[in-house]
Amino acid sequence: MHERKNAPLRSDAQRNRARILEVALTELTRAADTPLSAIAKKAGVGQGTFYRNFPSREALVLEVYRYEVEQVADTAAQLLQTRPPDQALWEWMTRLARFSMTKAGLAQAIGKATAHGSFAALGHGPLTSAIALLLDANDAAGTIRPGLTPDDFLLAIAGLWHIDPDSDWQARVDQLLDIVMDGLRAGAPGR
């Protein structure tokens, strides 16, 4: 009897998958070319279990990336529950920047794994939803110029992806985010 393709994973299979992703995140962030066998060994799973979950390096890298992007995206709603919209937007941008700067090895691994394709759409859904949520809250509060779209926002912060993560990036990120926030606030009805 064959398992259904989309059947829920057994609890032990879920634990194995989660352990592989956790180890892969650490190891790929440290070194983009970490051998898959080393990741499997550190995760405490056999090669068969590893490849059943992730049949290729690209599958593993893209799943790690998807998971990390979703974690960053999910913080938008949490921040809006406890902070004013403009402060939530600022803190979320800071988290996005920190993710971008501290996951340099992961970014390299993604680049290598997707050399023949594009991974842009992978994080676009969760990030776009988070950005729309933050922009809508700020628009309603009158703290940013009206009518901004998630695409406008992504273009405004595009400079983040050009900051060298091996440099003293924190000051440059803070300055860039100050400029972005000033631009978002210009023309806001509440100013």
Side-chain angles (χ1 to χ4, degrees), residues 112-189:
K112 288 179 181 179
T114 60
H116 302 293
S118 170
F119 68 94
L122 201 59
H124 197 62
L127 286 182
T128 300
S129 297
I131 294 164
L133 184 67
L134 289 160
L135 293 179
D136 288 348
N138 277 277
D139 198 10
T143 53
I144 62 172
R145 74 175 56 215
L148 293 172
T149 68
D151 284 340
D152 296 333
F153 177 85
L154 287 169
L155 285 171
I157 65 165
L160 282 176
W161 323 133
H162 298 286
I163 297 173
D164 180 0
D166 294 325
S167 69
D168 181 19
W169 56 265
Q170 188 65 55
R172 295 204 66 201
V173 164
D174 289 347
Q175 182 180 17
L176 177 66
L177 296 183
D178 281 341
I179 292 167
V180 169
M181 280 303 293
D182 288 347
L184 294 174
R185 288 180 178 134

Side-chain angles (χ1 to χ4, degrees), residues 76 79-92 133-144 181 185:
L79 289 168
L80 282 169
Q81 291 174 359
T82 58
R83 290 157 178 79
D86 56 340
Q87 186 181 349
L89 179 59
W90 169 261
E91 287 186 36
W92 188 82
L133 184 67
L134 289 160
L135 293 179
D136 288 348
N138 277 277
D139 198 10
T143 53
I144 62 172
M181 280 303 293
R185 288 180 178 134

Side-chain angles (χ1 to χ4, degrees), residues 8 10 16 32 43-44 66 70 79 95 99:
R10 296 182 330 255
N16 285 340
R66 180 182 293 115
E70 285 175 0
L79 289 168
R95 288 177 191 213
F99 166 75

Side-chain angles (χ1 to χ4, degrees), residues 28-143:
L28 292 173
T29 298
R30 188 179 336 210
D33 56 356
T34 300
L36 298 182
S37 58
I39 293 171
K41 185 175 181 178
K42 285 188 179 187
V45 299
Q47 296 290 324
T49 298
F50 183 91
Y51 285 104
R52 207 171 17 260
N53 281 281
F54 304 102
S56 67
R57 174 176 288 276
E58 180 178 37
L60 174 65
V61 168
L62 294 179
E63 185 59 28
V64 168
Y65 175 77
R66 180 182 293 115
Y67 174 77
E68 283 293 287
V69 166
E70 285 175 0
Q71 298 305 302
V72 172
D74 288 348
T75 62
Q78 297 162 9
L79 289 168
L80 282 169
Q81 291 174 359
T82 58
R83 290 157 178 79
D86 56 340
Q87 186 181 349
L89 179 59
W90 169 261
E91 287 186 36
W92 188 82
M93 285 193 306
T94 302
R95 288 177 191 213
L96 179 63
R98 190 177 318 120
F99 166 75
S100 299
M101 295 300 112
T102 59
K103 304 300 181 195
L106 179 57
Q108 278 185 319
I110 291 165
K112 288 179 181 179
T114 60
H116 302 293
S118 170
F119 68 94
L122 201 59
H124 197 62
L127 286 182
T128 300
S129 297
I131 294 164
L133 184 67
L134 289 160
L135 293 179
D136 288 348
N138 277 277
D139 198 10
T143 53

